Amino acid sequence: MNWLTNLVRPKFQQLVRTRDVPDNLWTKCPACGHMIFHKELDKNARLCSHCGHHMRLPVERRLAMLFDNGEFERIELPKVPLDPLKFRDEKRYTDRLKDAQSKTGEKDAIIVAHGRMGGINTVVAAFNFAFMGGSMGPAVGEGLVAAAELAVLQEAPLIVIPASGGARMQEGILSLMQMPRTTIAVDKVKEKGLPYFVLLTDPTTGGVSASFAMLGDVTLAEPGAVIGFAGARVIETTIRETLPEGFQRAEYLLDHGMVDMVVPRHEVRDTLIRLIDLLMNPRQSAIVLPLPAPGRPDGAPEVPPPPGPGVQPPPPAEAAGPEPTSGG
Amino acid sequence: MQFLEFEKPIAELEGKIEELRHLHDGNGVKVRDGDEAAGEIDLADDIARLREKVQKQLKATYAKLTPWQKTQVARHPLRPHGLDVIHGLVEDFTPLAGDRAFAEDRAIVGGLGRFNGRTVMVMAHEKGRDTDTRLTHNFGMAKPEGYRKAIRLMRLAERFGVPVITLVDTAGAYPGVEAEERGQAEAIARAIETCLDIRVPLVTAVIGEGGSGGAIALAAANRVLMFEHAIYSVISPEGCAGILWRSGEAAQQAAEALRLTAQDLLKLGVIDAVVPEPLGGAHRTPDEAIANLGLAIEENLKPLLDREAGVLRAERRDKFLAMGRVAA
Ligand SMILES: [Zn+2]
């Protein structure tokens, strides 16, 4: 029955996906080895309660954490030709694509959404690492072009959140062409005098890092995120160089002048809102605050962010600016 | 002559010709066309017949090279390199060095000169020819300073309204610790951005290997040409095989799946023209190959010279934005 399948199926898939969890009630922190109960991990936006290690965050959750009240509207991804290369390795690309689609319930590895952040209309394009490693092919490129065009149309800032191993091999040269295409896209936003922010999350490598991801007006990175062009293994094996401590981690990039700041997950939203406000409202702050803290669903108690070196949460008043908050 | 694996039958024929010539010369008789002195006709005829056979064999082999064979040809050690092309086509070539920030990277050579009488800025990957020059040029694998030099030279060309010609021949950007430290990803991203931004004509020719991000950094051009047996890909066939087939031995299959030949890329709309190579590949008669390339560059550059600066830029960007889209 059609109406039933259409209506119930997504919910059912959701159910199936959550049912996977019991096999895996405890998650071992890859950084400190601490065992964390999955509910606790989810409540804490997938930060290790023991050492503060940032584990990968599902993309929907990330969007909910960014927007006011966790509310946002997604836009349909533009259509792209299916499997233009007729690529097959040990498996057909079309099959891999279908698998990824049924596993994630998404069409491709990017979500484009818009909504309010601090009351200011904002466009966000976020990569879905669960979809073929967040790899960038024409669909992702088109998503970024659409996001940029939407930002220009709405005169909104653009935030892009990569989480990607790089270009999608199965779409060959057309994936490589997304490097110039996405560069043009984000330049459109900049040309309109709108700010373009990048939040680098784990991992951001290859063709994704070497295009739009490194062209932000302001670039944030999550603690510990792997960010770089060449894979560490490639460097080790082909060049036989020993890799320095913390190589290609967010903090390493900060020290080498490649990002503006390393921001713990729970401070990302406030930091972005403050930056948007500073750049979009140079004469007077227009942030609409206070807002309920998003991303901590089910009335879960707030877990304080783990103390990180050199990172201090801003006092609440700072985000609002010196001016009294107003409706616009 | 250095022969490739699949050129074995040709190598054998050439070997026989050498032998006969030796025999001929050993008799104290010089081989001359149309020499009808007694006792020489047989040998001369034999040689002529064998030469014809070689030509036929070459024609047959090179008319249907597999993508993997093309990969070998594109990497042939005697293939004309960036500097060969520059010296063959550009008069008064005046090399310019350095990124003004860190170092001179000789993996990318560049400078001013005259192409068919007009001033141009020409840049090329140079792989080097022997151990010494290979080390000098780092096998044509550029570091951030190489891309930053390219950016500087493109901006210089723009200031004087001088067209830019880039010649691509690289296995890829250098995967090393210092390259990452100094922002390989950012340097490539900015180079792509600059290619797409400059208000002077930009013509690119992929002359050998177009290796991923390291190639597109110089190749987001108004017109992209490719030698008949050059390759251009998002990843090397070996790299792709290692990841998708989990075996480097599947490189042959990966080369086919990736559609990395000039003929395939023309069909996909990623390049604008294929430049014919002399019979048996550019490495057999480099001068002829370089002359062909000169004609093709002239043909593609000339119509761009009268274009208004803003139009040149807009057309370049529109071309890349339209790439790989669903036909409207
Ligand atoms: Zn931990």
Side-chain angles (χ1 to χ4, degrees):
Chain A
M1 277 193 150
N2 245 341
W3 66 270
L4 193 71
T5 35
N6 284 345
L7 257 156
V8 176
R9 220 166 158 208
K11 292 245 158 136
F12 178 69
Q13 279 180 353
Q14 209 87 39
L15 220 69
V16 172
R17 261 181 282 154
T18 21
R19 279 223 192 105
D20 289 343
V21 175
D23 297 333
N24 216 344
L25 277 173
W26 296 84
T27 301
K28 192 177 173 184
C29 170
C32 71
H34 198 77
M35 297 300 288
I36 314 158
F37 190 58
H38 75 98
K39 272 193 180 156
E40 189 193 343
L41 195 59
D42 280 347
K43 266 180 211 160
N44 202 14
R46 301 194 64 79
L47 303 185
C48 172
S49 49
H50 194 72
C51 74
H53 177 72
H54 284 53
M55 294 180 212
R56 283 182 193 136
L57 188 68
V59 63
E60 281 274 351
R61 179 77 190 280
R62 184 173 294 282
L63 291 173
M65 277 183 82
L66 280 181
F67 288 105
D68 295 353
N69 307 317
E71 285 169 14
F72 57 90
E73 204 174 306
R74 293 176 53 164
I75 67 160
E76 184 98 11
L77 290 180
K79 283 212 159 52
V80 292
L82 176 70
D83 189 16
L85 267 52
K86 311 248 176 299
F87 194 99
R88 98 172 279 172
D89 44 81
E90 287 169 331
K91 214 168 162 181
R92 272 203 192 91
Y93 173 48
T94 47
D95 290 340
R96 281 191 198 266
L97 209 51
K98 266 184 225 146
D99 288 354
Q101 284 167 345
S102 62
K103 190 183 99 184
T104 59
E106 300 287 346
K107 283 194 182 131
D108 214 293
I110 198 163
I111 292 179
V112 179
H114 60 111
R116 297 196 173 266
M117 286 180 65
I120 300 164
N121 194 40
T122 306
V123 177
V124 178
F127 279 64
N128 187 353
F129 190 77
F131 195 108
M132 297 186 77
S135 56
M136 176 167 73
V140 167
E142 279 296 84
L144 284 165
V145 172
E149 282 169 353
L150 185 65
V152 169
L153 194 75
Q154 298 186 343
E155 294 180 30
L158 174 66
I159 300 170
V160 177
I161 309 172
S164 170
R168 188 172 299 166
M169 280 175 286
Q170 292 91 340
E171 299 200 54
I173 195 84
L174 293 172
S175 297
L176 190 71
M177 292 303 124
Q178 303 315 312
M179 293 170 72
R181 296 185 82 246
T182 57
T183 300
I184 297 166
V186 300
D187 274 1
K188 281 188 179 190
V189 176
K190 293 184 192 174
E191 275 167 24
K192 282 281 166 195
L194 298 163
Y196 166 50
F197 302 100
V198 178
L199 169 63
L200 299 166
T201 69
D202 186 57
T204 302
T205 57
V208 165
S209 73
S211 57
F212 67 90
M214 278 295 162
L215 297 172
D217 289 317
V218 179
T219 306
L220 287 64
E222 277 203 337
V226 169
I227 304 153
F229 180 66
R233 247 182 308 155
V234 174
I235 297 172
E236 254 176 341
T237 54
T238 58
I239 312 294
R240 286 183 212 104
E241 285 185 42
T242 18
L243 305 180
E245 179 85 11
F247 181 62
Q248 289 184 329
R249 298 280 171 182
E251 296 76 10
Y252 176 94
L253 269 86
L254 181 71
D255 286 347
H256 286 92
M258 301 318 299
V259 299
D260 289 292
M261 55 190 100
V262 177
V263 185
R265 192 165 286 164
H266 282 305
E267 290 166 33
V268 164
R269 171 178 143 84
D270 286 353
T271 307
L272 281 169
I273 289 175
R274 189 166 64 248
L275 284 165
I276 291 169
D277 188 50
L278 286 167
L279 289 173
M280 298 282 284
N281 307 303
R283 283 163 181 272
Q284 187 178 346
S285 172
I287 299 178
V288 185
L289 284 176
L291 292 159
R296 283 152 211 160
D298 317 324
E302 201 169 306
V303 183
V311 190
Q312 280 180 348
E318 195 185 296
E323 301 295 331
T325 53
S326 73
Chain B
M1 200 72 233
Q2 292 180 40
F3 291 97
L4 298 166
E5 180 75 27
F6 67 87
E7 291 179 316
K8 240 181 197 158
I10 296 156
E12 275 164 22
L13 287 173
E14 297 258 16
K16 265 188 211 154
I17 292 172
E18 269 310 296
E19 246 170 63
L20 288 181
R21 279 175 53 114
H22 220 79
L23 216 68
H24 218 154
D25 292 353
N27 290 343
V29 187
K30 283 196 181 103
V31 183
R32 253 178 287 139
D33 285 338
D35 199 335
E36 287 180 10
E40 295 160 22
I41 301 159
D42 281 358
L43 275 181
D45 272 2
D46 279 355
I47 292 171
R49 220 163 17 81
L50 282 172
R51 282 210 171 122
E52 214 170 282
K53 228 175 162 180
V54 166
Q55 295 296 302
K56 256 191 204 160
Q57 188 73 252
L58 274 174
K59 213 172 188 174
T61 310
Y62 272 78
K64 49 180 172 66
L65 289 180
T66 67
W68 180 240
Q69 288 168 338
K70 278 189 193 267
T71 305
Q72 311 306 309
V73 175
R75 295 170 179 167
H76 196 290
L78 296 178
R79 196 172 172 83
H81 285 175
L83 277 173
D84 300 323
V85 174
I86 291 176
H87 290 135
L89 296 179
V90 180
E91 285 173 77
D92 295 337
F93 177 59
T94 308
L96 301 173
D99 69 343
R100 299 299 181 274
F102 182 77
E104 157 66 349
D105 183 348
R106 293 176 181 84
I108 294 176
V109 295
L112 290 161
R114 286 189 183 276
F115 174 67
N116 293 338
R118 292 177 224 105
T119 301
V120 293
M121 181 68 79
V122 61
M123 279 181 264
H125 292 107
E126 172 56 48
K127 288 181 166 178
R129 189 70 69 200
D130 50 39
T131 308
D132 273 0
T133 52
R134 275 178 193 140
L135 288 174
T136 303
H137 296 289
N138 197 30
F139 302 83
M141 295 189 288
K143 296 174 188 169
E145 44 275 22
Y147 299 109
R148 289 179 181 134
K149 173 171 75 179
I151 291 168
R152 186 175 77 83
L153 299 189
M154 283 192 268
R155 289 298 180 198
L156 175 59
E158 185 181 38
R159 270 192 60 219
F160 290 89
V162 166
V164 179
I165 298 168
T166 60
L167 306 166
V168 169
D169 187 17
T170 182
Y174 179 74
V177 171
E178 349 92 276
E180 294 292 317
E181 205 170 78
R182 294 195 290 274
Q184 185 72 294
E186 195 265 357
I188 292 170
R190 296 277 172 213
I192 295 171
E193 191 179 39
T194 308
C195 283
L196 291 163
D197 189 54
I198 51 172
R199 288 157 193 273
V200 287
L202 174 55
V203 174
T204 294
V206 181
I207 58 171
E209 247 182 309
S212 196
I216 188 67
L218 300 186
N222 290 91
R223 304 283 293 170
V224 180
L225 321 178
M226 216 171 139
F227 257 141
E228 190 183 346
H229 305 307
I231 59 165
Y232 189 8
S233 179
V234 68
I235 187 170
S236 72
E238 293 90 337
C240 181
I243 297 168
L244 291 183
W245 279 263
R246 279 173 239 101
S247 146
E249 271 149 51
Q252 210 160 327
Q253 289 149 271
E256 298 201 1
L258 283 166
R259 316 261 159 169
L260 43 64
T261 70
Q263 294 70 26
D264 276 336
L265 299 190
L266 188 66
K267 270 187 229 150
L268 288 167
V270 167
I271 62 163
D272 301 292
V274 179
V275 183
E277 292 188 26
L279 186 60
H283 57 277
R284 270 201 157 238
T285 20
D287 290 349
E288 201 184 323
I290 292 169
N292 288 354
L293 184 60
L295 292 175
I297 292 175
E298 175 67 16
E299 196 188 314
N300 282 276
L301 180 58
K302 211 168 173 199
L304 302 176
L305 295 171
D306 304 323
R307 290 265 224 299
E308 202 261 313
V311 174
L312 273 174
R313 180 179 181 273
E315 278 181 355
R316 193 183 307 134
R317 296 167 87 85
D318 289 347
K319 181 182 97 159
F320 279 90
L321 272 186
M323 221 172 254
R325 272 194 168 150
V326 188

